[in-house]
Amino acid sequence: MDSINKSLRLPTLRGLVSGPQSLLTPLHLAALCVALGVLMPVVALIWQAMQADFSHWDNLVTFVLPSVLKNTVLLLAGVAVIVGVIGVGSAWAVTAWDFPGRKILSWALLLPLAMPTYIVAFAWLDLLHPIGPLQTFIRFLLGFDSPRQFRLPDLRSLPGAIILLGLVLYPYVYLTTRAMFISQPAHLLEAARTLGCSAAGTFFRVALPMARPALAVGISLALLETLNDIGASEFLGVQTLTVTVYTTWISRSDLAAAAQIACMMLMFIFCILTLEFYGRKKQGFSSRSLREIQPTAIGGWRGWLLASVIALPVILGFVAPVIFLAWESMKRFGEENPLSPALLSALQNTLLLAAGTTLVVVCVSLLVAWSARHSAADNALPGFRRGVMRLASLGYAVPGTILAIGFLTPAMAVDRWLADLLEVRGLPLMSAGVLLVICCAMRFQAIAIGALDSGLSRIPPSLEQASRLLGENGAGTFARIHLPLLRPALVSSALLVFADAMKELPTTLLLRPVNFETLATLLYAEAARGTYEEGAIAALMIVLAGTLPVILLVRHQMTRTG
């Protein structure tokens, strides 16, 4: 056994926790506990699924799963094609060509990220209603008076879901591929043109293959968001695995069956994460000293036509829904009491949930990132830094529905134990919203971990060494050196988490306390009832909060490209 450990360079348990210089410090143990805590819902989900009765699977396999699996696979495949075409096409256009409005569109293409998928579905369902504004205007132009004379295809369909989700999620591919296109050296493309390759051939044979890893990463992120979606799919009448898990738990009160179906979703997640891992493994960066691609000027009607085509995803995925929401909200503000008590209560609950989640995420992520820095600096536990950070970031890859189901059983057991200990009725943690905050923190802490780890990596160890040589202890060095330098990363990660927590729907739907409504759940209920006025105000508030991370991305992109 010792020879095997030595050959694999694995430290023994005794070497980890004892010896002249202990490898597992309390800081490392705390970070490891955080990582295992994120892994716990997945393990609990698998355990719960294996312990449940499988007698109902004959009915599921015969009547439910075939259509659900077909819808899920087709939805993922369709979204992958849409985001790939729009993301790569728009990224190459603003990189390779100089046309009217190029500078504006280069950052405006990120705006759909501020729109949650369920809000876009909510807006377009009313816009494209048979008696809605868009179809009424088209009938007016064509000289028709009734929807019976002219009616557009129903948006409530699988193709409608694919198109809407693609219009919202393409910025993931746009961000990753444009960064790769910008870093590509121009002499490679010029060499291809010199050898007789056309402009299209140069793109498909040189530029696109070099950007393939970034394309894989962007598509995998978009597919993870597609799997996490529950509101848009349900609004559009598409029964996916995620929607089936939710309805099985809520409508049929069958948590065991929901856990078993959720385990099937883990296979999709594994495939998507494999794609993402492949992309990151193959991803490389060109030297910034090489000459970058210089955009070719396109003027006249061709330039304006190209600008119109590139602007179309922004108009459909952001501008049109925002105008609709603003118009519906203004109609509501024209009334005597535009903000009802229910809406104000939902806004207060949303802000409290987002603030609590942000506070937990920033503190926990700082612990994990600080532990990773010390592991790397001390050369302790090879692979510990990478393994802990990956486990701690796992929650973002798991859809909120699956995370909530796996989290519920162990969390409820702890809550019941605490109720017995305190001799109180009910479930104190659940009723206070603590479980909801913890689960949301598990889901979003990957955002802050990445930002803080990147921020810490930019702080040279020499500053810390100089502080310690001047007599400052570890806590003082952290407070006086690292925290001030980490302020930009802390602020940006906090804003990202805050905005994501405000628009989170699946986790909030499943783990919220009784009579606890957020803006997202209020909008979900309004859409289910077919009412739009108050839901439009809630949606507009969520979109305004979602613009904060987009502004950060725009500033970052302009810094890189400027």
Side-chain angles (χ1 to χ4, degrees), residues 198-447:
S198 63
T202 301
F203 170 72
F204 285 107
R205 299 181 64 180
V206 180
L208 186 58
M210 287 194 295
R212 192 179 300 157
L215 176 62
V217 173
I219 290 179
S220 65
L221 292 174
L223 294 184
L224 287 174
E225 288 296 326
T226 303
L227 268 183
N228 182 60
D229 171 72
I230 185 173
S233 299
E234 190 169 2
F235 294 165
L236 298 172
V238 179
Q239 193 73 11
T240 63
L241 277 173
T242 309
V243 176
T244 303
V245 170
Y246 174 74
T247 55
T248 301
W249 182 6
I250 299 300
S251 302
R252 304 176 187 175
S253 301
D254 193 346
L255 184 58
Q260 292 171 349
I261 300 174
C263 285
M264 297 187 62
M265 292 181 62
L266 292 178
M267 294 186 295
F268 287 90
I269 296 170
F270 176 77
C271 295
I272 295 173
L273 290 180
T274 302
L275 174 67
E276 194 267 350
F277 175 75
Y278 171 80
R280 291 190 184 276
K281 184 178 180 181
K282 298 294 183 180
Q283 198 167 19
F285 300 92
S286 299
S287 172
R288 299 292 292 184
S289 61
L290 297 175
R291 185 167 55 89
E292 299 174 0
I293 299 175
Q294 297 299 317
T296 302
I298 299 180
W301 66 269
R302 292 184 178 85
W304 286 107
L305 177 62
L306 178 60
S308 301
V309 173
I310 300 302
L312 192 60
V314 182
I315 296 172
L316 298 178
F318 181 80
V319 177
V322 168
I323 292 176
F324 164 77
L325 295 176
W327 176 259
E328 292 293 330
S329 299
M330 290 301 295
K331 288 164 56 177
R332 179 75 179 183
F333 276 102
E335 301 177 4
E336 185 177 352
N337 295 315
L339 300 179
S340 66
L343 182 61
L344 293 175
S345 176
L347 176 60
Q348 179 183 358
N349 293 337
T350 304
L351 294 176
L352 289 175
L353 172 63
T357 301
T358 303
L359 180 61
V360 174
V361 165
V362 169
C363 293
V364 172
S365 301
L366 191 58
L367 171 68
V368 174
W370 185 249
S371 170
R373 177 181 174 88
H374 276 267
S375 299
D378 300 337
N379 293 321
L381 298 178
F384 177 86
R385 173 181 183 271
R386 183 172 59 253
V388 167
M389 292 190 66
R390 283 183 179 177
L391 282 179
S393 304
L394 181 65
Y396 198 71
V398 180
T401 308
I402 295 181
L403 195 67
I405 291 177
F407 177 75
L408 184 66
T409 300
M412 293 289 282
V414 173
D415 210 4
R416 292 191 187 97
W417 171 82
L418 184 62
D420 294 337
L421 181 65
L422 300 177
E423 298 181 352
V424 297
R425 288 186 177 183
L427 301 171
L429 297 180
M430 184 76 172
S431 59
V434 175
L435 297 185
L436 176 59
V437 170
I438 294 175
C439 193
C440 287
M442 288 181 177
R443 172 150 171 73
F444 298 127
Q445 71 182 15
I447 302 171

Side-chain angles (χ1 to χ4, degrees), residues 113-131:
L113 281 179
M115 300 291 294
T117 54
Y118 58 87
I119 289 182
V120 174
F122 171 84
W124 275 107
L125 279 173
D126 197 41
L127 278 170
L128 291 178
H129 194 275
I131 58 174

